[in-house]
Amino acid sequence: DFLFFWGAVFLVTTTLVAFLKKENQELIPAKEETKGITDTYKLLFSIIKMPAVLTFCLLILTSKVGFSAADAVTGLKLVEEGVPKEHLALLAVPMVPLQIILPLVISKYTAGPQPLNTFYKAMPYRLLLGLEFAFLVWWAPKVKHEGGFPVYYYAVVVLSYALHQITLYSMYVAIMAFNAKVSDPLIGGTYMTLLNTVSNLGGNWPSTVALWLVDPLTVKECAGAQGHTCATAAAAEV
């Protein structure tokens, strides 16, 4: 219902903008960056063929592989270990003010001539937090009792998520600042959209692959069924 409501709002508002918003002819620059969809894609193709852009795209498409399992699977594994979904959802509430404040704080460090320095510095800490998340999943069944999980476990989870947000936003804001810095002002919108799209794709495809690999990489043991490996979903069901 939530998604349906906001999907409807999104469609209605964008349709109204498309039909009711008129361009101010006096303010349109003499030299427009593109004249249509075909020109836009030609421009994008010419940008991505540049050696520096191509190298950057390849790096940014692969730079987040190391975080994919921790980012995509931790929450699901905690639920699998018995942590209630509603408790995990509540733990996201303290992250909201942090997510608002972090970009403001981090932007001071990415405003200089080398915004990617922040990206490099945050990367090893984010990789270490992946190990921390693995520890949280391993620790969950050890501290679980009849009443659920102790308060100190939730405190460690919140602290871990808060530290993760700091590293995540450090990398995110740094990449955004770098993209804004290197984009040609004449074609700024098209240039930045291309780089940001590649950056988002670089974060999404590793998470998808990580989720797909969870089942084949999970070790299962069959209790009371000799001769069965439970390696496949069908075998586990049997």
Side-chain angles (χ1 to χ4, degrees), residues 84-107:
K85 286 186 215 172
E86 55 271 23
H87 289 184
L88 277 179
L90 281 172
L91 294 180
V93 175
M95 298 299 117
V96 175
L98 191 65
Q99 289 166 352
I100 295 168
I101 295 165
L102 278 173
L104 298 172
V105 176
I106 296 163
S107 60

Side-chain angles (χ1 to χ4, degrees), residues 146-228:
E146 288 184 9
F149 290 85
V151 175
Y152 65 82
Y153 180 77
Y154 287 118
V156 174
V157 172
V158 169
L159 181 62
S160 301
Y161 270 95
L163 292 171
H164 178 258
Q165 288 295 313
I166 293 170
T167 58
L168 188 150
Y169 273 84
S170 295
M171 294 178 72
Y172 176 75
V173 175
I175 281 289
M176 285 292 178
F178 179 79
N179 291 347
K181 193 171 186 63
V182 300
S183 297
D184 185 343
L186 184 64
I187 50 171
T190 307
Y191 211 127
M192 266 203 76
T193 302
L194 172 67
L195 295 179
N196 289 340
T197 301
V198 173
S199 179
N200 290 333
L201 186 61
N204 289 334
W205 80 260
S207 296
T208 305
V209 172
L211 286 168
W212 179 72
L213 287 172
V214 169
D215 251 8
L217 292 178
T218 299
V219 178
K220 304 180 186 75
E221 294 178 4
C222 289
Q226 293 180 355
H228 289 277

Side-chain angles (χ1 to χ4, degrees), residues 43-120:
L43 184 61
L44 284 170
F45 189 65
S46 64
I47 291 169
I48 209 163
K49 280 197 300 183
M50 294 163 63
V53 175
L54 196 59
T55 305
F56 176 69
C57 287
L58 288 171
L59 289 171
I60 211 65
L61 277 171
T62 54
S63 64
K64 295 175 185 173
V65 171
F67 324 123
S68 55
D71 289 3
V73 185
T74 302
L76 298 172
K77 284 294 174 184
L78 287 174
V79 171
E80 193 178 286
E81 295 295 348
V83 179
K85 286 186 215 172
E86 55 271 23
H87 289 184
L88 277 179
L90 281 172
L91 294 180
V93 175
M95 298 299 117
V96 175
L98 191 65
Q99 289 166 352
I100 295 168
I101 295 165
L102 278 173
L104 298 172
V105 176
I106 296 163
S107 60
K108 294 177 183 177
Y109 300 97
T110 57
Q114 295 178 314
L116 279 185
N117 281 354
T118 308
F119 183 93
Y120 301 143

